[in-house]
Short mmCIF file of all heavy atoms in Angstrom, two decimals:
data_model
loop_
_atom_site.label_atom_id
_atom_site.label_comp_id
_atom_site.label_asym_id
_atom_site.label_seq_id
_atom_site.Cartn_x
_atom_site.Cartn_y
_atom_site.Cartn_z
N SER N 20 -3.24 -7.44 -10.98
CA SER N 20 -3.91 -6.13 -11.01
C SER N 20 -4.05 -5.56 -9.61
O SER N 20 -3.94 -4.34 -9.41
CB SER N 20 -5.28 -6.26 -11.68
OG SER N 20 -5.15 -6.63 -13.04
N VAL N 21 -4.29 -6.42 -8.63
CA VAL N 21 -4.35 -5.97 -7.24
C VAL N 21 -2.99 -5.39 -6.83
O VAL N 21 -2.92 -4.32 -6.21
CB VAL N 21 -4.74 -7.13 -6.30
CG1 VAL N 21 -4.52 -6.73 -4.84
CG2 VAL N 21 -6.20 -7.51 -6.51
N ALA N 22 -1.93 -6.09 -7.19
CA ALA N 22 -0.58 -5.60 -6.87
C ALA N 22 -0.33 -4.25 -7.53
O ALA N 22 0.30 -3.36 -6.94
CB ALA N 22 0.46 -6.62 -7.32
N ARG N 23 -0.85 -4.09 -8.74
CA ARG N 23 -0.66 -2.81 -9.45
C ARG N 23 -1.39 -1.69 -8.72
O ARG N 23 -0.85 -0.59 -8.56
CB ARG N 23 -1.17 -2.94 -10.87
CG ARG N 23 -0.90 -1.71 -11.73
CD ARG N 23 -1.14 -1.99 -13.19
NE ARG N 23 -0.75 -0.87 -14.01
CZ ARG N 23 -0.70 -0.90 -15.34
NH1 ARG N 23 -0.99 -2.02 -15.98
NH2 ARG N 23 -0.34 0.16 -16.03
N VAL N 24 -2.60 -1.95 -8.25
CA VAL N 24 -3.34 -0.94 -7.50
C VAL N 24 -2.58 -0.57 -6.23
O VAL N 24 -2.43 0.61 -5.89
CB VAL N 24 -4.76 -1.44 -7.14
CG1 VAL N 24 -5.47 -0.43 -6.24
CG2 VAL N 24 -5.59 -1.64 -8.41
N ILE N 25 -2.09 -1.58 -5.51
CA ILE N 25 -1.35 -1.34 -4.27
C ILE N 25 -0.11 -0.49 -4.55
O ILE N 25 0.19 0.46 -3.82
CB ILE N 25 -0.96 -2.68 -3.61
CG1 ILE N 25 -2.21 -3.35 -3.04
CG2 ILE N 25 0.08 -2.46 -2.51
CD1 ILE N 25 -1.96 -4.75 -2.47
N GLY N 26 0.62 -0.83 -5.61
CA GLY N 26 1.81 -0.07 -5.96
C GLY N 26 1.50 1.38 -6.30
O GLY N 26 2.21 2.30 -5.88
N LEU N 27 0.42 1.60 -7.03
CA LEU N 27 0.03 2.96 -7.40
C LEU N 27 -0.41 3.76 -6.18
O LEU N 27 -0.09 4.95 -6.06
CB LEU N 27 -1.10 2.92 -8.43
CG LEU N 27 -0.71 2.47 -9.85
CD1 LEU N 27 -1.94 2.27 -10.72
CD2 LEU N 27 0.24 3.49 -10.49
N LEU N 28 -1.12 3.12 -5.28
CA LEU N 28 -1.52 3.80 -4.04
C LEU N 28 -0.30 4.23 -3.24
O LEU N 28 -0.23 5.35 -2.73
CB LEU N 28 -2.41 2.89 -3.20
CG LEU N 28 -3.81 2.59 -3.74
CD1 LEU N 28 -4.53 1.59 -2.84
CD2 LEU N 28 -4.64 3.87 -3.85
N ALA N 29 0.67 3.31 -3.12
CA ALA N 29 1.89 3.62 -2.37
C ALA N 29 2.68 4.75 -3.03
O ALA N 29 3.25 5.61 -2.34
CB ALA N 29 2.76 2.37 -2.24
N LEU N 30 2.71 4.76 -4.34
CA LEU N 30 3.46 5.78 -5.08
C LEU N 30 2.84 7.16 -4.95
O LEU N 30 3.55 8.15 -4.79
CB LEU N 30 3.54 5.37 -6.56
CG LEU N 30 4.13 6.41 -7.53
CD1 LEU N 30 5.58 6.71 -7.17
CD2 LEU N 30 4.03 5.90 -8.96
N HIS N 31 1.52 7.24 -4.99
CA HIS N 31 0.85 8.54 -5.10
C HIS N 31 0.28 9.08 -3.79
O HIS N 31 -0.12 10.24 -3.75
CB HIS N 31 -0.25 8.45 -6.15
CG HIS N 31 0.25 8.23 -7.54
ND1 HIS N 31 0.87 9.22 -8.28
CD2 HIS N 31 0.29 7.12 -8.32
CE1 HIS N 31 1.23 8.74 -9.45
NE2 HIS N 31 0.88 7.47 -9.51
N THR N 32 0.25 8.26 -2.75
CA THR N 32 -0.33 8.76 -1.50
C THR N 32 0.56 9.84 -0.87
O THR N 32 1.79 9.74 -0.93
CB THR N 32 -0.56 7.62 -0.49
OG1 THR N 32 -1.29 8.12 0.61
CG2 THR N 32 0.76 7.05 -0.01
N SER N 33 -0.06 10.84 -0.31
CA SER N 33 0.69 11.88 0.38
C SER N 33 0.54 11.76 1.90
O SER N 33 1.29 12.37 2.65
CB SER N 33 0.21 13.28 -0.06
OG SER N 33 -1.19 13.42 0.16
N GLU N 34 -0.42 10.95 2.33
CA GLU N 34 -0.64 10.72 3.75
C GLU N 34 -0.83 9.22 3.98
O GLU N 34 -1.32 8.51 3.11
CB GLU N 34 -1.87 11.48 4.26
CG GLU N 34 -1.76 12.99 4.11
CD GLU N 34 -3.03 13.70 4.56
OE1 GLU N 34 -3.87 13.04 5.20
OE2 GLU N 34 -3.17 14.89 4.25
N LEU N 35 -0.45 8.78 5.17
CA LEU N 35 -0.57 7.36 5.48
C LEU N 35 -1.09 7.20 6.90
O LEU N 35 -0.43 7.61 7.85
CB LEU N 35 0.79 6.66 5.34
CG LEU N 35 0.82 5.14 5.52
CD1 LEU N 35 -0.05 4.46 4.47
CD2 LEU N 35 2.25 4.62 5.43
N GLY N 36 -2.30 6.63 7.02
CA GLY N 36 -2.87 6.42 8.33
C GLY N 36 -2.03 5.47 9.16
O GLY N 36 -1.42 4.53 8.62
N GLU N 37 -1.97 5.71 10.46
CA GLU N 37 -1.08 4.92 11.31
C GLU N 37 -1.49 3.47 11.45
O GLU N 37 -0.70 2.63 11.88
CB GLU N 37 -0.97 5.56 12.70
CG GLU N 37 -2.28 5.65 13.45
CD GLU N 37 -2.11 6.33 14.79
OE1 GLU N 37 -1.52 7.42 14.82
OE2 GLU N 37 -2.56 5.76 15.79
N ASN N 38 -2.73 3.13 11.08
CA ASN N 38 -3.20 1.74 11.20
C ASN N 38 -3.24 1.00 9.87
O ASN N 38 -3.77 -0.12 9.80
CB ASN N 38 -4.59 1.72 11.85
CG ASN N 38 -4.56 2.23 13.27
OD1 ASN N 38 -3.65 1.92 14.03
ND2 ASN N 38 -5.55 3.04 13.64
N VAL N 39 -2.71 1.59 8.82
CA VAL N 39 -2.70 0.91 7.52
C VAL N 39 -1.75 -0.28 7.59
O VAL N 39 -0.58 -0.12 7.94
CB VAL N 39 -2.25 1.88 6.39
CG1 VAL N 39 -2.25 1.15 5.05
CG2 VAL N 39 -3.16 3.10 6.34
N PRO N 40 -2.23 -1.49 7.26
CA PRO N 40 -1.40 -2.71 7.41
C PRO N 40 -0.36 -2.88 6.32
O PRO N 40 -0.37 -3.86 5.56
CB PRO N 40 -2.44 -3.82 7.39
CG PRO N 40 -3.53 -3.29 6.52
CD PRO N 40 -3.60 -1.81 6.82
N ILE N 41 0.57 -1.94 6.24
CA ILE N 41 1.61 -1.98 5.22
C ILE N 41 2.49 -3.22 5.40
O ILE N 41 2.89 -3.88 4.43
CB ILE N 41 2.48 -0.71 5.28
CG1 ILE N 41 1.65 0.54 4.97
CG2 ILE N 41 3.65 -0.82 4.30
CD1 ILE N 41 1.08 0.58 3.57
N SER N 42 2.80 -3.55 6.65
CA SER N 42 3.66 -4.70 6.93
C SER N 42 3.07 -5.99 6.37
O SER N 42 3.79 -6.82 5.81
CB SER N 42 3.88 -4.84 8.44
OG SER N 42 4.69 -5.94 8.74
N GLU N 43 1.76 -6.14 6.51
CA GLU N 43 1.10 -7.34 6.00
C GLU N 43 1.22 -7.43 4.49
O GLU N 43 1.48 -8.51 3.93
CB GLU N 43 -0.37 -7.35 6.42
CG GLU N 43 -1.12 -8.61 6.03
CD GLU N 43 -2.57 -8.60 6.49
OE1 GLU N 43 -2.98 -7.66 7.21
OE2 GLU N 43 -3.31 -9.54 6.11
N ALA N 44 1.04 -6.29 3.83
CA ALA N 44 1.15 -6.26 2.36
C ALA N 44 2.57 -6.59 1.92
O ALA N 44 2.79 -7.35 0.96
CB ALA N 44 0.73 -4.90 1.83
N ILE N 45 3.56 -6.03 2.61
CA ILE N 45 4.96 -6.29 2.27
C ILE N 45 5.30 -7.76 2.47
O ILE N 45 5.97 -8.39 1.63
CB ILE N 45 5.89 -5.40 3.12
CG1 ILE N 45 5.77 -3.93 2.67
CG2 ILE N 45 7.34 -5.86 3.01
CD1 ILE N 45 6.54 -2.96 3.54
N THR N 46 4.86 -8.33 3.59
CA THR N 46 5.13 -9.74 3.87
C THR N 46 4.54 -10.63 2.79
O THR N 46 5.20 -11.56 2.31
CB THR N 46 4.55 -10.13 5.24
OG1 THR N 46 5.19 -9.36 6.26
CG2 THR N 46 4.76 -11.61 5.53
N LEU N 47 3.30 -10.36 2.40
CA LEU N 47 2.64 -11.18 1.39
C LEU N 47 3.31 -11.05 0.03
O LEU N 47 3.54 -12.06 -0.67
CB LEU N 47 1.16 -10.79 1.30
CG LEU N 47 0.30 -11.57 0.31
CD1 LEU N 47 0.39 -13.07 0.57
CD2 LEU N 47 -1.16 -11.11 0.40
N LEU N 48 3.64 -9.84 -0.37
CA LEU N 48 4.33 -9.64 -1.65
C LEU N 48 5.69 -10.33 -1.65
O LEU N 48 6.08 -10.94 -2.65
CB LEU N 48 4.50 -8.14 -1.92
CG LEU N 48 3.24 -7.41 -2.37
CD1 LEU N 48 3.43 -5.90 -2.26
CD2 LEU N 48 2.87 -7.78 -3.81
#
């Protein structure tokens, strides 16, 4: 369910803060 929330956030976000740890999420997934 956490992964689902993350996926939905990535799909629907229109802005992305420069400090959002996307790399960490990708590495873990």
Side-chain angles (χ1 to χ4, degrees):
S20 295
V21 169
R23 186 167 186 172
V24 174
I25 289 175
L27 288 172
L28 290 176
L30 172 62
H31 294 286
T32 188
S33 56
E34 299 177 13
L35 185 61
E37 61 182 51
N38 295 319
V39 180
I41 297 296
S42 179
E43 184 179 354
I45 289 174
T46 298
L47 181 54
L48 284 165

